[in-house]
Amino acid sequence: MKRAFLLAYPAGHSLSPAMHNAAFEALRIDAAYQALEVAPALLPEAVALLRQADCYGANVTIPHKLAVIPCLDLLTDDAKAIGAVNTIVNQDGRLLGHNTDAAGFLRALREDGGFQPAGKDALLLGAGGAARAVAYALLKAGAARLDVYNRSEGKARALAQNFATLGEMQALEPGDLAARVLACGLLVNATSVGMRRGGFDPDESPLPAGVLPEKGFVCDLVYRPARTRLLREAESVGLRTQNGLPMLAYQGAEALERWTGRVAPVAVMIAAAQDALAQA
Ligand code: NAP
C-alpha cells in the first residue's frame, strides 16, 4: 500500500484526508492518506520519512509552507516564485517541492466557476501566503491589471513589488479601494476575514459596507462557512460567486496527479470535501 500525508500543526479539522482517500478509492489505487500533526521542531524528521519507497509524498499546510523548503532537494519554478511549498513529491527518494495552490486556484476559477481571468482587471484582498499564490496565478494567466489591498499596507506593497516583472500589479491606498472594487472584473478575498475559527467573526466582511463590484465575479478563498458574508452580499446583488472549496479540491487534485500520474476525479474530491465539511 502506498501512503501520502498532510503535515500540519494543528491537523484536526482538515478536509484533505476525506478528499484524497475518496479519490484513491474511486481510482482503485491501493493507498491511504493521513493527516499528521507535526510540531515545528519535528518537521525535518517528518519530512525525512517521506523519502521511503512506499510514500508518494505529502501536502504541507500552516505553519510549515515556508519552513519545509530547506528540507527539500529541489523546488519547481512555481514554488520558487511563490516562495512556499504546499505539496512534496517523492521521486525515488528525492523530495521535490511544488506549489499547487496557484494552479488549483486557476483551475477552480476556470473549470468550476467558468471564469477566464485573461484580460480582466482583478482585485486581491490580502497579502499573506494564499494571496501570493493567487497573485502569481492571475498574473501568469494574463490578468490585465491586478490591484492588491491589505490591512497592513506595507505587505501589499512588498507583494506588488515582488511580482512587478510578471505583469501590471499595484498596491492600493485605502482611499482608492471602493472605486477599484466597483470597477474590477474579479474580486478575490485571500484574507482570513469571514472564516469560522477562534478569534475570527464569521459574520465579518473584508470590504466596507456597501462596497461591491458592479458586475464582477467574486471569489472567497474561505470555505468554512460555505457562504461568507462577502459571498451572501455579492449574491444578493446578482454577482456570480465561488467559495474556497473548489480551490481546495483542485489544489488537492493537482497534488494527487503529481503523486500518481493519474487524472484526479475532481467531482469525487469536491463531494467528499463537502460531506466532510457538513459533518465537521
Ligand atoms: P496568512 O498568510 O496568515 O494571511 C492572512 C491574511 O489575512 C493577511 O493578508 C492578513 O492581513 C489578513 N487578515 C487577517 N485578519 C484580518 C482582519 N481582521 N482584517 C483584515 N485583514 C486580515 O493566511 P493564508 O494562508 O494566506 O490564508 C488566508 C485565507 O485563505 C484563510 O482564510 C485560509 O483558510 C484561506 N485559504 C484557502 C485555501 C483554499 O484552498 N481554499 C488555500 C489557502 C488559504 P495582515 O497582513 O494585515 O495581517
Side-chain angles (χ1 to χ4, degrees), residues 258-272:
R258 285 164 176 78
W259 293 331
T260 65
R262 302 276 299 274
V263 175
V266 181
V268 168
M269 296 175 82
I270 291 180

Side-chain angles (χ1 to χ4, degrees), residues 61-62 65-66 86 100-101 104-105 125-134 148-156 159 189-197 199-201 204-206 220-224 243-252:
T61 190
I62 294 171
K65 285 185 177 185
L66 272 72
N86 79 329
T100 67
D101 279 336
F105 168 76
L125 301 171
R132 287 185 68 80
V134 168
V148 57
Y149 178 77
N150 192 50
R151 173 179 66 176
S152 311
E153 293 171 43
K155 279 172 69 181
L159 181 56
N189 175 36
T191 76
S192 320
V193 177
M195 194 167 72
R196 185 185 300 133
R197 209 162 83 178
F200 286 96
D201 175 359
E204 249 183 359
S205 168
D220 198 332
L221 301 198
V222 173
Y223 51 82
R224 214 189 300 256
N243 74 7
L245 205 76
M247 173 178 170
L248 180 81
Y250 278 99
Q251 64 75 31

Side-chain angles (χ1 to χ4, degrees), residues 120-204:
K120 307 281 185 357
D121 283 2
L123 196 152
L124 175 61
L125 301 171
R132 287 185 68 80
V134 168
Y136 178 79
L138 288 174
L139 291 171
K140 293 283 275 189
R145 167 191 172 120
L146 177 60
D147 291 318
V148 57
Y149 178 77
N150 192 50
R151 173 179 66 176
S152 311
E153 293 171 43
K155 279 172 69 181
R157 281 196 295 273
L159 181 56
Q161 248 166 28
N162 195 254
F163 288 140
T165 53
L166 293 180
E168 184 67 30
M169 180 170 181
Q170 47 276 307
L172 290 180
E173 303 287 330
D176 298 328
L177 177 65
R180 292 308 309 162
V181 168
L182 193 72
C184 75
L186 171 68
L187 176 83
V188 182
N189 175 36
T191 76
S192 320
V193 177
M195 194 167 72
R196 185 185 300 133
R197 209 162 83 178
F200 286 96
D201 175 359
D203 213 34
E204 249 183 359

Side-chain angles (χ1 to χ4, degrees), residues 52-66:
Q52 293 174 1
D54 66 345
C55 190
Y56 280 135
N59 289 131
V60 181
T61 190
I62 294 171
H64 301 313
K65 285 185 177 185
L66 272 72

